[in-house]
Amino acid sequence: MASDTSDRNGEPAEAGDGAVDGGEPTAGVAVHANGDGAGARETPPPDSWRGYHLEIFLICFASLLLEISYTRIVSFKLFYYYTYLVIGLALLGIGTGSVVVSLSRRLRRASTDAVVMVGSLLGALSVIAGYLVVARLPVASLAIWDYGSRDSVENLVKIVILCVALFASFVPVGVMISTLFARRTEGINKLYFADLVGAGLACAVVVFLLGTIGPPRTIMLAGAVLAAVAVRVAFAERARVVGPVAIALTAALALVTVSSGLLPDVRNDDDKSDVGNSIISRWSPIFRVDVADLGDTYLLHHDGMLGSVIKQWDGDRASLTRFDFDDDARSFPFDLLGDAPDKVMIIGAAGGHEILASLYYEAAQIDAIELNPVTHDLVTDDLADYGGHLADQPEVNYVNGGGRSFLARSGEEYDLIWYPAPDGYSASNAATAGAFVLSESYLYTSETIEESLDHLTDDGIIAAQFGEANYEVKSNRPTRYVATVRQALENAGVDDPEDHVLVSTFGLEASARLSTILVKKTPFTDDEIARFTAQDADVAGSELQYAPGQPGDNPVSEVLTLPDGELGAYLDDHPYDVSAISDDGPFFWHFARFADVIADFGDPIDRFDPEDSIGERVILLLLAIATVMAAVFLLLPFVTMRKVWRELPRKGTSAIYFTALGLGFMFFEITLIQRHPSYVLQVGETLLALDSEVAGSIVVQRPAA
């Protein structure tokens, strides 16, 4: 009995290995559900001699470019934590494509050339449509938490629309990959190799592309690559209609990719800063930077949120007095040191305000480390004249790189190692709205503090600064940091960590305050403590929070002075999680316990309070959205093939196997991300996509009779 499929020319396919005896398929024959849920015996139509290696190479290359680029788009448009959803939606889309192939008789009867040609063309079109929806749809995501309001419902619907737009771009990719893997089993090793090479190449070039042409144009490049696949297959098939359409689409996408200004810009969340009038807007693999002109200051927005500043300076040392550093919290570490420091390291130098302060206090050598290449280029090139060529000052070594990595490689000892957290410019910075609650903050862990102590001179100090929107009500940042300092000092063998720490606050706007924490590897002397406490009188708006022998009635003092036996109970009873962090759990901004978040999920929250569990709630919301979409697009379709499902053997064993495989992979990847986050994120996403492609290509089969 011959299969009911036909080849590309419409002729019936001859029976071969797919023929059956006695009404049962032989081993290796795919069984899919027809309209009434019964099993239908089908054999894929014959294809050309091609192995489709170039096609799958290009498809996977485009898929990974698309996925990673969207993580940057979503981080800018919404908040950092929404990027987790992009990866999940990409995998869900690819998996859904394989489900579509399993359930669609029309797809199974179509030739491989037709599936790849039409699939790549639809994929390119969905890239365009998806970007326009994601980029231009107005969203105020924080309004979701105004329960019962119209804004809450509308913005939740908009988030779902964004999810569907992202998801839809990856469905054609899943259709094509699952079709190729299922039909080209005789050369699956070479096909999978081409898959790996394409995804690996995308992983290798995407960081460069994000920093040069930016994520929007990289997304269009992915669309152009998919359209080019349609062109290749259309020429091979001599498709007179699809061919010209594919050529035109490829040319249009290529033009948009190479030309700036043709794509509509991404509209960011209504609860973020308006960056529409920025004088400079530039993407990087880390975050987008938008520069606003405030007259004598350029304000740098990081992913649409307040980041850092570049101060106008003429390069004359005498004019540094106009910045009033003596009346600023930046004076605290230098006043404590007394003499001009020989060597200063600034980790997170940003636009260079702390460099200016170090020059004002006559530091002889300043190693200033800035991670974001865009900010570094602004200071050293685009805005160098405006900033007085700060990086060219003979004392200044302004480096683009990771601060902790630079510190670990350095053989120098410093009088001051300065961590001016972005909060130092505003209490409403990148931590606002809980944006970074589950991002790794390796600069504030106990291991980093220990490393910093090892790089201090005998009288050197560590200075860390954090802003709080309402310090009197919540002092989570400085409290967690001093808890981590205490842990680091105890790890280093210090018996009296409370004698090695000084804490003061400086008034910002309204109830916001800037905390300054100074740490020394030897106990502070009476003279140093006296100089520090004198700042209360010398610097208007400052207030002593803790000094050895002068504990205050506040969480910072409690964490530093409580006996070891009482500290754990105090931290457990504290309304927020402010316990010490380490490299194994470097989530500095994660203050709301998930148990409390779940218990209070139905209660309204203050969406303008960065510590009111907003970020944690979003994580749970995204988990719910992903779960519902997975159920709808992956599980629900199999209701149409209940009979086949019931007849499948070893379902329980298979479920345990794939669950263990997935969990093992995630544990492995997450562990590596903790050690090498910048590299493993890209490689891990590549492997995740490949893993889903392989799993998605599995065809439902029944054993031989």
Side-chain angles (χ1 to χ4, degrees):
M1 174 179 175
S3 168
D4 61 355
T5 56
S6 54
D7 65 12
R8 293 191 310 273
N9 299 317
E11 296 298 327
E14 296 182 0
D17 293 339
V20 297
D21 296 313
E24 290 292 331
T26 58
V29 178
V31 177
H32 306 271
N34 58 22
D36 60 4
R41 299 180 298 275
E42 297 181 6
T43 306
D47 294 306
S48 66
W49 54 269
R50 294 199 318 276
Y52 297 94
H53 303 126
L54 179 59
E55 286 82 354
I56 200 169
F57 168 87
L58 294 174
I59 291 167
C60 293
F61 176 80
S63 176
L64 262 294
L65 286 185
L66 189 65
E67 179 182 346
I68 297 174
S69 297
Y70 264 129
T71 63
R72 295 298 319 120
I73 295 287
V74 170
S75 180
F76 170 73
K77 183 177 182 68
L78 301 174
F79 294 99
Y80 171 84
Y81 35 62
Y82 282 94
T83 60
Y84 298 117
L85 190 60
V86 175
I87 301 172
L89 290 173
L91 304 185
L92 178 61
I94 293 171
T96 299
S98 69
V99 172
V100 171
V101 172
S102 295
L103 299 181
S104 172
R105 298 186 68 187
R106 184 171 183 177
L107 275 174
R108 297 195 305 275
R109 290 178 174 180
S111 69
T112 306
D113 280 341
V115 172
V116 174
M117 179 173 59
V118 177
S120 55
L121 190 61
L122 290 176
L125 291 171
S126 68
V127 166
I128 300 172
Y131 174 77
L132 293 177
V133 171
V134 172
R136 301 309 302 165
L137 184 68
V139 177
S141 62
L142 298 184
I144 292 174
W145 313 112
D146 294 336
Y147 293 144
S149 68
R150 180 176 178 179
D151 282 347
S152 177
V153 175
E154 285 184 354
N155 284 282
L156 179 59
V157 170
K158 289 177 180 179
I159 292 295
V160 173
I161 291 172
L162 288 177
C163 291
V164 173
L166 288 167
F167 158 81
S169 299
F170 294 92
V171 174
V173 172
V175 168
M176 291 184 287
I177 292 177
S178 60
T179 296
L180 291 174
F181 280 174
R183 295 185 181 182
R184 315 302 290 185
T185 55
E186 71 283 355
I188 190 66
N189 54 340
K190 295 180 181 179
L191 201 64
Y192 188 52
F193 178 77
D195 181 316
L196 284 169
V197 173
L201 180 62
C203 184
V205 303
V206 69
V207 173
F208 170 77
L209 292 173
L210 295 180
T212 52
I213 64 176
R217 289 160 66 188
T218 303
I219 288 172
M220 294 302 111
L221 173 60
V225 171
L226 288 174
V229 173
V231 171
R232 170 177 166 80
V233 180
F235 268 95
E237 283 289 282
R238 298 177 183 176
R240 297 180 180 179
V241 176
V242 176
V245 173
I247 292 173
L249 185 58
T250 303
L253 286 166
L255 177 63
V256 173
T257 300
V258 300
S259 303
S260 61
L262 296 182
L263 279 175
D265 196 12
V266 180
R267 174 173 176 168
N268 64 345
D269 196 297
D270 291 350
D271 290 303
K272 287 188 170 184
S273 301
D274 182 5
V275 296
N277 295 321
S278 301
I279 62 170
I280 297 175
S281 294
R282 195 170 298 165
W283 294 93
S284 83
I286 301 171
F287 47 69
R288 169 168 154 168
V289 177
D290 294 273
V291 182
D293 188 356
L294 302 182
D296 63 348
T297 301
Y298 282 146
L299 178 61
L300 275 56
H301 291 94
H302 299 165
D303 272 352
M305 306 182 75
L306 299 179
S308 59
V309 297
I310 296 178
K311 291 288 187 178
Q312 187 175 21
W313 182 48
D314 58 9
D316 182 3
R317 301 298 177 90
S319 66
L320 288 172
T321 55
R322 76 177 184 85
F323 295 115
D324 297 323
F325 288 123
D326 289 333
D327 298 320
D328 186 280
R330 293 173 180 82
S331 66
F332 290 174
F334 296 100
D335 285 346
L336 184 70
L337 288 170
D339 298 330
D342 289 331
K343 296 178 182 178
V344 173
M345 175 181 284
I346 305 170
I347 296 182
H353 205 181
E354 282 69 31
I355 300 176
L356 291 174
S358 300
L359 290 173
Y360 174 77
Y361 288 105
E362 300 180 343
Q365 175 184 323
I366 306 167
D367 289 333
I369 320 302
E370 170 53 34
L371 180 63
N372 192 343
V374 172
T375 303
H376 184 270
D377 289 345
L378 291 174
V379 172
T380 59
D381 187 8
D382 302 76
L383 303 177
D385 289 341
Y386 183 89
H389 291 273
L390 179 64
D392 296 330
Q393 297 296 316
E395 299 91 342
V396 177
N397 175 33
Y398 186 58
V399 178
N400 177 211
R404 184 167 173 181
S405 175
F406 186 94
L407 178 66
R409 297 194 312 269
S410 174
E412 304 272 4
E413 290 187 341
Y414 295 88
D415 298 305
L416 171 62
I417 299 178
W418 197 352
Y419 293 89
D423 310 61
Y425 300 98
S426 170
S428 301
N429 69 12
T432 300
F436 284 169
V437 290
L438 289 181
S439 67
E440 296 85 355
S441 304
Y442 287 94
L443 294 182
Y444 309 130
T445 65
S446 58
E447 288 86 351
T448 300
I449 295 171
E450 292 179 59
E451 183 82 47
S452 301
L453 292 170
D454 289 341
H455 283 81
L456 290 178
T457 59
D458 291 340
D459 293 320
I461 58 174
I462 300 169
Q465 294 178 310
F466 302 95
E468 289 285 2
N470 191 341
Y471 182 88
E472 297 302 324
V473 176
K474 295 177 182 176
S475 56
N476 291 344
R477 295 171 175 86
T479 303
R480 166 159 275 173
Y481 191 75
V482 298
T484 307
V485 166
R486 174 172 175 167
Q487 183 65 60
L489 289 168
E490 290 175 349
N491 292 344
V494 174
D495 296 326
D496 51 354
E498 67 275 8
D499 293 337
H500 298 248
V501 182
L502 295 167
V503 183
S504 183
T505 57
F506 177 78
L508 299 173
E509 297 180 0
S511 58
R513 301 188 71 82
L514 175 66
S515 300
T516 299
I517 301 107
L518 304 182
V519 184
K520 192 179 177 188
K521 63 181 180 181
T522 57
F524 283 108
T525 64
D526 292 340
D527 179 61
E528 290 170 331
I529 295 171
R531 288 204 304 272
F532 187 75
T533 55
Q535 295 291 85
D536 287 347
D538 297 340
V539 180
S542 65
E543 182 179 354
L544 181 68
Q545 298 298 324
Y546 175 79
Q550 305 177 46
D553 183 17
N554 57 64
V556 167
S557 288
E558 296 286 356
V559 167
L560 284 170
T561 59
L562 280 173
D564 290 338
E566 299 178 21
L567 179 61
Y570 176 82
L571 294 174
D572 290 341
D573 292 338
H574 196 276
Y576 294 90
D577 183 0
V578 291
S579 56
I581 65 166
S582 67
D583 284 353
D584 290 333
F587 304 108
F588 184 85
W589 313 104
H590 175 43
F591 300 117
R593 301 177 180 90
F594 273 111
D596 297 333
V597 176
I598 294 172
D600 301 333
F601 199 89
D603 298 333
I605 57 177
D606 181 0
R607 66 176 183 165
F608 300 106
D609 183 348
E611 268 83 60
D612 203 1
S613 69
I614 293 176
E616 289 81 2
R617 288 194 181 203
V618 168
I619 296 297
L620 296 177
L621 174 66
L622 298 184
L623 176 61
I625 292 175
T627 300
V628 171
M629 291 185 68
V632 170
F633 292 107
L634 293 183
L635 300 181
L636 189 60
F638 284 98
V639 172
T640 64
M641 52 185 302
R642 294 187 299 274
K643 182 178 179 180
V644 175
W645 177 258
R646 285 195 298 266
E647 295 178 2
L648 286 176
R650 297 182 292 277
K651 291 189 286 291
T653 304
S654 298
I656 294 173
Y657 170 80
F658 284 108
T659 299
L661 186 66
L663 287 174
F665 179 84
M666 292 304 298
F667 289 154
F668 179 73
E669 183 194 13
I670 291 171
T671 301
L672 289 179
I673 286 177
Q674 296 298 311
R675 297 302 178 187
H676 309 284
S678 300
Y679 300 106
V680 177
L681 176 61
Q682 311 299 336
V683 177
E685 289 176 0
T686 303
L687 294 175
L688 273 173
L690 294 175
D691 185 54
S692 68
E693 290 162 5
V694 174
S697 69
I698 296 174
V699 181
V700 178
Q701 296 188 351
R702 287 195 297 188

